[in-house]
Amino acid sequence: MDTRDAIRARPGEWSQLTHTYARDVPALSVPWPAVRFPDPRVLGRNDDLGVGPVELPTLVGDGVDTRALAYAGHQWGVYKPRLGDGRALLAGELPDGRDLHLKGIGPTPFSRGLDGRAAVGPMLREYLFGEAMHALGIPTTRALAVVATGERIERDGRELPGAVLTRVAASHLRVGTFQYAAVSEPGSLRALADHAIARHFPDAARAVRPYRELFGRVVDAQAALVARWMLVGFVHGVMSTDNTTISGETIDYGPCAFMDAVDPATVFSSLDTTGRYAYAAQPEILRWNLARLAESLRPLDDVEDLVDEFPRTYERYWARGMAAKLGLSTPDAALATDLMALLHAQHVDFTTFFRALAAGTARDLFLDRAALDAWAVRRAPLVTAGRAAMDRVNPLYVPRNHVTDAALAAAEHGDLDPFHRLLAAVREPYVERPGLADLTRPGTGPHVTYCGT
Ligand code: AMP
Ligand code: MG
């Protein structure tokens, strides 16, 4: 098939998309047309999403009711009353209720003077990380396709190839959407909350206090999510409230990465000079973001006391997850916490450690072997799982920084083979295959992702 056919909407196909969001809360988005690009070319198409060919077109044709979503958000702790989709548009909702969203599709009323574009590298990165997270069992938005636009765009003084990412998400409701409604469109707040309930937690509608129930569900979903990030060493990088979903999915992969050597202060964003969004800071930042959601919901119900439950809920998910990683049937938070301190002190690679523990070779990773031995003596009587069971929860292949950077650099120059090789590896993260050993080696030196997203 000609790639142009694959990516251009054919008449009628988009009629399957609905807009319940625009219908329920019209004040929270604006109709806005997509830019048409002269020479689009498909770089990657995800056939694993259960989205049939009818919904596949990735660039928008005439007559499609695309909309830019309004939202606010705390970025780096500072409230921005009007962020919104500055370079993205909602094409609509698929028959199964998920959003189809296009990123890098041109300027909108929310662009604030920026170009509304996205570059090939960061959009392929979002595709790669979304697939990696999904394969790890972590809720996430996912790419349906990445399409090179044929344009060159400027980032940090460099000319880069432009791209549009089509992504599928449970929804694009964010903490920042509620902040925007509460502050700027208070008449829409209740309808927004009702929409969120109907979409993500329908049985909460029957609760005596549905908005309190909604908030409790979001707290639980986000506690589970951030625990899972911590359990794979994932650092999101920009946990602003507009990048925190109501659904509990990971969203907006910018300067994110998987940690190599354990260090609680690990950051990857060149902008994060204070460590606000560092690895170990993530649960507390999430709690802070949820407190902002609680404030926004205040006109509907008093939910702020539920914010205090977040740390306990998070700890429970984390300790349970660590128990599985360590081959224990009962959580032991002290054993897990002490291990993290030990891995930090000994600069041990996070991902490598758990596979080595299962294989019986963990001692080789430590300079101070006596320290590991003392910890292992505490673990030994609690172990119930063997190597195979541990390998099923501890990934071997994650998108490591040095490998990801090399693959994206090659893709920018037209060679997509390293990208597809890495994508295939992280899509099956637990099963060792021959010929992929280079993907499992930690990088050397600190890694920084510059915010040229
Ligand atoms: P992000 O860091 O990707 O979550 O984006 C934060 C905000 O900046 C959102 O409102 C984006 O729509 C907006 N934004 C980021 N890059 C661009 C761009 N190139 N053009 C217009 N808006 C942008
Ligand atoms: Mg964002």
XYZ file of all heavy atoms in Angstrom, residues 142-209:
511
model
N -0.419 4.964 24.474
C 0.423 4.233 23.504
C 0.320 4.879 22.130
O -0.725 5.419 21.759
C -0.024 2.774 23.417
C 0.215 2.014 24.701
C -0.340 0.611 24.606
N 0.464 -0.258 23.739
C 0.121 -1.477 23.395
N -1.031 -1.986 23.809
N 0.897 -2.219 22.623
N 1.413 4.762 21.394
C 1.431 5.305 20.038
C 0.726 4.358 19.086
O 0.905 3.145 19.150
C 2.867 5.506 19.580
N -0.082 4.932 18.215
C -0.660 4.170 17.116
C 0.253 4.286 15.897
O 0.416 3.337 15.141
C -2.050 4.727 16.807
C -2.874 4.039 15.753
C -3.068 2.567 16.082
C -4.244 4.719 15.655
N 0.852 5.454 15.730
C 1.760 5.648 14.598
C 2.642 6.866 14.837
O 2.273 7.774 15.579
C 0.965 5.846 13.305
N 3.804 6.833 14.219
C 4.640 8.026 14.124
C 4.845 8.286 12.640
O 5.239 7.390 11.888
C 5.999 7.850 14.833
C 6.871 9.089 14.613
C 5.801 7.602 16.326
N 4.545 9.513 12.220
C 4.614 9.883 10.811
C 5.555 11.064 10.660
O 5.364 12.102 11.319
C 3.206 10.272 10.291
C 3.278 10.715 8.842
C 2.247 9.106 10.446
N 6.583 10.912 9.832
C 7.450 12.048 9.530
C 6.666 12.995 8.637
O 5.987 12.566 7.704
C 8.727 11.579 8.834
N 6.749 14.299 8.917
C 5.924 15.265 8.177
C 6.575 15.728 6.884
O 5.913 16.312 6.036
C 5.672 16.510 9.049
O 6.943 17.096 9.363
C 4.941 16.142 10.321
N 7.889 15.502 6.749
C 8.605 16.033 5.599
C 9.140 17.440 5.842
O 9.922 17.957 5.058
N 8.721 18.062 6.945
C 9.196 19.401 7.304
C 10.477 19.318 8.123
O 10.704 18.328 8.811
C 8.179 20.073 8.236
C 7.051 20.770 7.586
C 6.240 21.536 8.661
O 6.483 21.381 9.880
O 5.370 22.268 8.249
N 11.254 20.389 8.110
C 12.346 20.540 9.077
C 11.879 21.537 10.123
O 11.233 22.535 9.791
C 13.619 21.083 8.402
C 14.056 20.349 7.149
C 14.622 18.988 7.414
N 15.935 19.043 8.083
C 16.621 17.950 8.426
N 16.112 16.740 8.183
N 17.796 18.045 9.004
N 12.180 21.241 11.373
C 11.823 22.201 12.428
C 13.082 22.572 13.197
O 14.087 21.856 13.134
C 10.750 21.628 13.382
C 11.290 20.420 14.161
C 9.500 21.244 12.610
C 10.345 19.971 15.261
N 13.013 23.675 13.905
C 14.196 24.167 14.602
C 14.068 23.911 16.101
O 13.044 24.212 16.713
C 14.349 25.660 14.325
C 15.741 26.200 14.557
C 15.811 27.082 15.800
O 15.379 28.235 15.703
O 16.286 26.585 16.846
N 15.084 23.280 16.683
C 15.127 23.044 18.121
C 16.538 23.345 18.628
O 17.500 22.724 18.156
C 14.783 21.587 18.471
C 13.329 21.204 18.261
C 12.427 21.819 19.337
N 11.023 21.422 19.188
C 10.132 22.045 18.406
N 10.486 23.080 17.686
N 8.882 21.634 18.365
N 16.653 24.269 19.581
C 17.954 24.603 20.184
C 19.010 24.886 19.112
O 20.146 24.399 19.203
C 18.438 23.462 21.096
C 17.406 23.084 22.147
O 16.757 24.001 22.681
O 17.228 21.875 22.403
N 18.626 25.611 18.082
C 19.585 25.983 17.048
C 19.888 24.888 16.038
O 20.708 25.072 15.139
N 19.213 23.719 16.195
C 19.441 22.630 15.235
C 18.204 22.444 14.367
O 17.078 22.623 14.833
C 19.709 21.314 15.972
C 21.073 21.233 16.638
C 21.141 19.943 17.451
N 21.112 18.737 16.623
C 20.591 17.578 17.009
N 20.022 17.448 18.189
N 20.625 16.526 16.196
N 18.413 22.054 13.121
C 17.302 21.712 12.230
C 17.033 20.221 12.342
O 17.938 19.402 12.155
C 17.681 22.042 10.787
C 17.473 23.477 10.413
C 16.820 23.565 9.028
O 17.055 22.670 8.213
O 16.074 24.526 8.798
N 15.790 19.862 12.641
C 15.462 18.451 12.850
C 14.258 18.069 11.990
O 13.415 18.923 11.681
C 15.118 18.204 14.325
C 16.201 18.523 15.357
C 15.628 18.403 16.761
C 17.393 17.595 15.169
N 14.146 16.787 11.640
C 12.947 16.344 10.916
C 11.727 16.381 11.836
O 11.807 15.992 12.998
C 13.299 14.910 10.500
C 14.379 14.475 11.433
C 15.134 15.711 11.842
N 10.604 16.847 11.306
C 9.376 16.949 12.092
C 8.567 15.656 12.042
O 8.740 14.832 11.132
N 7.686 15.472 13.022
C 6.864 14.263 13.065
C 5.549 14.534 13.777
O 5.423 15.487 14.548
C 7.605 13.136 13.790
N 4.574 13.690 13.473
C 3.317 13.671 14.223
C 3.190 12.299 14.870
O 3.424 11.272 14.229
C 2.104 13.922 13.299
C 0.797 13.688 14.052
C 2.147 15.332 12.736
N 2.869 12.310 16.162
C 2.597 11.071 16.888
C 1.091 10.951 17.031
O 0.423 11.892 17.478
C 3.242 11.152 18.275
C 2.859 10.052 19.261
C 3.807 8.867 19.128
C 2.896 10.567 20.690
N 0.536 9.822 16.614
C -0.870 9.551 16.907
C -0.896 8.645 18.113
O -0.254 7.591 18.106
C -1.558 8.822 15.742
O -1.290 9.551 14.556
C -3.051 8.742 15.953
N -1.574 9.069 19.159
C -1.589 8.214 20.347
C -2.983 7.895 20.806
O -3.938 8.631 20.556
C -0.752 8.822 21.464
C -1.389 9.969 22.185
C -0.457 10.462 23.299
N -0.970 11.699 23.857
C -0.246 12.536 24.589
N 1.028 12.291 24.822
N -0.780 13.628 25.089
N -3.064 6.770 21.489
C -4.319 6.290 22.030
C -4.197 6.339 23.543
O -3.177 5.925 24.097
C -4.583 4.850 21.527
C -5.750 4.239 22.255
C -4.836 4.869 20.025
N -5.204 6.892 24.205
C -5.175 7.036 25.653
C -6.555 6.739 26.206
O -7.568 6.973 25.526
C -4.778 8.466 26.032
N -6.610 6.243 27.438
C -7.917 6.017 28.067
C -8.712 7.313 28.063
O -9.924 7.320 27.855
C -7.734 5.483 29.488
N -8.021 8.417 28.296
C -8.582 9.755 28.077
C -7.433 10.734 28.222
O -6.312 10.339 28.550
C -9.691 10.110 29.084
O -9.131 10.555 30.306
N -7.706 12.001 27.953
C -6.694 13.032 28.201
C -7.092 13.934 29.362
O -6.658 15.077 29.440
C -6.418 13.833 26.923
C -5.571 13.073 25.947
N -6.090 12.112 25.113
C -4.239 13.093 25.716
C -5.103 11.580 24.394
N -3.979 12.167 24.733
N -7.898 13.384 30.275
C -8.252 14.139 31.480
C -7.058 14.147 32.416
O -6.492 13.101 32.725
C -9.437 13.483 32.187
C -10.713 13.319 31.372
C -11.768 12.618 32.213
C -11.206 14.663 30.889
N -6.686 15.336 32.846
C -5.506 15.487 33.694
C -5.903 16.219 34.965
O -6.956 16.861 35.012
C -4.463 16.365 32.980
C -4.166 15.962 31.556
C -3.898 17.200 30.694
N -3.822 16.848 29.278
C -2.688 16.536 28.640
N -1.552 16.572 29.283
N -2.699 16.195 27.372
N -5.030 16.179 35.962
C -5.247 17.029 37.131
C -5.400 18.472 36.661
O -6.277 19.210 37.111
C -4.082 16.884 38.136
C -4.183 17.935 39.234
C -4.069 15.477 38.743
N -4.584 18.853 35.672
C -4.635 20.219 35.152
C -5.960 20.569 34.480
O -6.328 21.747 34.402
N -6.679 19.562 33.979
C -8.004 19.826 33.406
C -8.958 20.284 34.505
O -9.745 21.221 34.324
C -8.563 18.548 32.738
O -7.551 17.968 31.911
C -9.784 18.863 31.900
N -8.870 19.622 35.663
C -9.724 20.005 36.795
C -9.304 21.360 37.359
O -10.156 22.154 37.784
C -9.673 18.913 37.874
C -10.566 17.741 37.537
C -10.114 16.719 36.709
C -11.868 17.681 38.010
C -10.947 15.659 36.367
C -12.705 16.626 37.686
C -12.244 15.603 36.856
N -8.017 21.636 37.349
C -7.564 22.944 37.819
C -8.120 24.046 36.922
O -8.576 25.079 37.389
C -6.031 23.005 37.831
C -5.402 22.080 38.879
C -3.886 22.185 38.858
O -3.229 21.719 37.933
N -3.322 22.802 39.880
N -8.062 23.788 35.620
C -8.571 24.784 34.669
C -10.065 25.004 34.880
O -10.540 26.148 34.930
C -8.298 24.324 33.237
C -8.756 25.306 32.185
C -7.957 26.375 31.818
C -9.998 25.159 31.561
C -8.380 27.287 30.851
C -10.429 26.062 30.599
C -9.615 27.117 30.242
O -10.033 28.013 29.294
N -10.810 23.914 35.013
C -12.255 24.040 35.210
C -12.542 24.788 36.509
O -13.371 25.711 36.535
C -12.912 22.659 35.224
N -11.859 24.414 37.588
C -12.149 25.019 38.893
C -11.878 26.518 38.880
O -12.638 27.306 39.458
C -11.309 24.343 39.984
N -10.805 26.926 38.215
C -10.404 28.333 38.252
C -11.079 29.145 37.144
O -11.571 30.241 37.387
C -8.861 28.455 38.130
C -8.432 29.919 38.005
C -8.187 27.791 39.331
N -11.097 28.608 35.929
C -11.509 29.424 34.780
C -12.894 29.104 34.232
O -13.488 29.941 33.552
C -10.489 29.260 33.633
O -9.210 29.649 34.076
N -13.389 27.899 34.474
C -14.714 27.514 33.967
C -15.502 26.787 35.053
O -15.894 25.618 34.888
C -14.570 26.580 32.741
C -14.000 27.228 31.504
C -14.978 28.195 30.824
O -16.183 28.136 31.115
O -14.505 29.017 30.006
N -15.737 27.458 36.181
C -16.361 26.752 37.316
C -17.712 26.125 36.970
O -18.086 25.115 37.566
C -16.485 27.827 38.398
C -16.205 29.141 37.733
C -15.399 28.858 36.509
N -18.392 26.690 35.975
C -19.677 26.126 35.577
C -19.554 24.750 34.943
O -20.546 24.038 34.789
N -18.330 24.366 34.562
C -18.109 23.065 33.914
C -17.589 21.995 34.861
O -17.442 20.841 34.463
C -17.090 23.211 32.769
O -17.587 24.055 31.770
N -17.279 22.388 36.093
C -16.569 21.464 36.987
C -17.361 20.182 37.268
O -16.830 19.074 37.173
C -16.217 22.185 38.300
C -15.393 21.369 39.287
C -14.029 21.009 38.702
C -15.227 22.139 40.602
N -18.636 20.349 37.587
C -19.436 19.168 37.927
C -19.565 18.240 36.712
O -19.410 17.016 36.832
C -20.817 19.598 38.436
C -21.687 18.450 38.936
C -22.994 18.966 39.543
N -22.773 19.846 40.690
C -22.657 19.403 41.953
N -22.797 18.114 42.218
N -22.448 20.244 42.930
N -19.816 18.827 35.552
C -19.960 18.007 34.341
C -18.641 17.300 34.019
O -18.636 16.160 33.540
C -20.408 18.874 33.172
N -17.538 17.970 34.287
C -16.237 17.339 34.056
C -16.046 16.134 34.984
O -15.620 15.056 34.548
C -15.115 18.364 34.293
C -13.692 17.812 34.207
C -13.371 17.286 32.803
C -12.671 18.891 34.620
N -16.384 16.318 36.237
C -16.254 15.214 37.202
C -17.184 14.059 36.814
O -16.795 12.886 36.877
C -16.553 15.711 38.614
N -18.402 14.395 36.386
C -19.340 13.343 35.962
C -18.797 12.596 34.741
O -18.915 11.371 34.642
C -20.712 13.950 35.639
C -21.438 14.419 36.904
O -21.083 13.944 38.003
O -22.349 15.277 36.781
N -18.195 13.348 33.821
C -17.601 12.731 32.630
C -16.466 11.786 33.041
O -16.354 10.667 32.523
C -17.084 13.833 31.698
C -16.432 13.327 30.454
N -17.121 13.027 29.301
C -15.124 13.049 30.186
C -16.275 12.587 28.376
N -15.058 12.600 28.879
N -15.636 12.230 33.961
C -14.502 11.400 34.423
C -15.008 10.124 35.077
O -14.467 9.030 34.853
C -13.628 12.195 35.395
N -16.057 10.241 35.877
C -16.631 9.065 36.544
C -17.172 8.098 35.494
O -16.876 6.900 35.507
C -17.733 9.483 37.538
C -17.096 10.178 38.756
C -18.563 8.277 37.968
C -18.098 10.801 39.715
N -17.959 8.625 34.567
C -18.588 7.769 33.554
C -17.534 7.029 32.743
O -17.717 5.867 32.363
C -19.467 8.612 32.634
N -16.440 7.679 32.509
C -15.427 7.111 31.639
C -14.483 6.154 32.338
O -14.076 5.149 31.763
C -14.608 8.263 31.090
C -14.497 8.130 29.609
C -14.048 9.348 28.999
N -13.198 8.939 27.909
C -12.670 9.752 27.043
N -12.890 11.041 27.167
N -11.929 9.301 26.073
N -14.112 6.480 33.558
C -13.040 5.716 34.199
C -13.478 4.912 35.414
O -12.875 3.888 35.714
C -11.900 6.653 34.601
C -11.280 7.339 33.425
N -10.762 6.638 32.360
C -11.126 8.653 33.131
C -10.293 7.500 31.467
N -10.512 8.723 31.905
N -14.458 5.375 36.141
C -14.865 4.683 37.373
C -16.386 4.671 37.459
O -16.975 5.214 38.403
C -14.265 5.406 38.600
C -12.799 5.727 38.472
C -12.370 7.024 38.202
C -11.842 4.727 38.607
C -11.021 7.321 38.074
C -10.484 5.018 38.482
C -10.071 6.317 38.216
N -17.039 4.022 36.457
C -18.500 4.170 36.349
C -19.256 3.779 37.619
O -20.268 4.402 37.938
C -18.866 3.277 35.165
C -17.635 2.518 34.803
C -16.466 3.229 35.375
N -18.751 2.774 38.353
C -19.514 2.377 39.538
C -19.445 3.421 40.656
O -20.250 3.394 41.591
C -19.089 0.999 40.042
C -17.604 0.905 40.276
O -16.838 1.400 39.417
O -17.191 0.366 41.319
N -18.502 4.354 40.560
C -18.431 5.422 41.564
C -19.677 6.309 41.522
O -20.003 6.984 42.501
C -17.179 6.269 41.358
N -20.379 6.275 40.386
C -21.593 7.096 40.263
C -22.648 6.672 41.280
O -23.502 7.471 41.674
C -22.151 6.985 38.843
N -22.587 5.407 41.725
C -23.589 4.909 42.672
C -23.198 5.131 44.126
O -23.941 4.789 45.042
C -23.826 3.411 42.430
C -24.515 3.112 41.095
C -24.970 1.665 41.005
N -23.840 0.745 41.090
C -23.118 0.353 40.035
N -23.435 0.799 38.817
N -22.101 -0.465 40.170
N -21.991 5.676 44.345
C -21.545 5.918 45.721
C -22.383 7.025 46.352
O -22.966 7.863 45.647
C -20.070 6.314 45.734
N -22.455 7.027 47.665
C -23.204 8.070 48.368
C -22.584 9.442 48.076
O -23.282 10.428 47.885
C -23.189 7.789 49.894
C -23.974 8.869 50.632
C -23.763 6.408 50.176
N -21.260 9.475 48.033
C -20.560 10.722 47.698
C -19.676 10.464 46.473
O -18.495 10.165 46.601
C -19.724 11.172 48.898
C -20.598 11.542 50.108
C -19.780 11.726 51.355
N -18.892 12.885 51.289
C -18.071 13.253 52.294
N -18.039 12.539 53.412
N -17.303 14.312 52.170
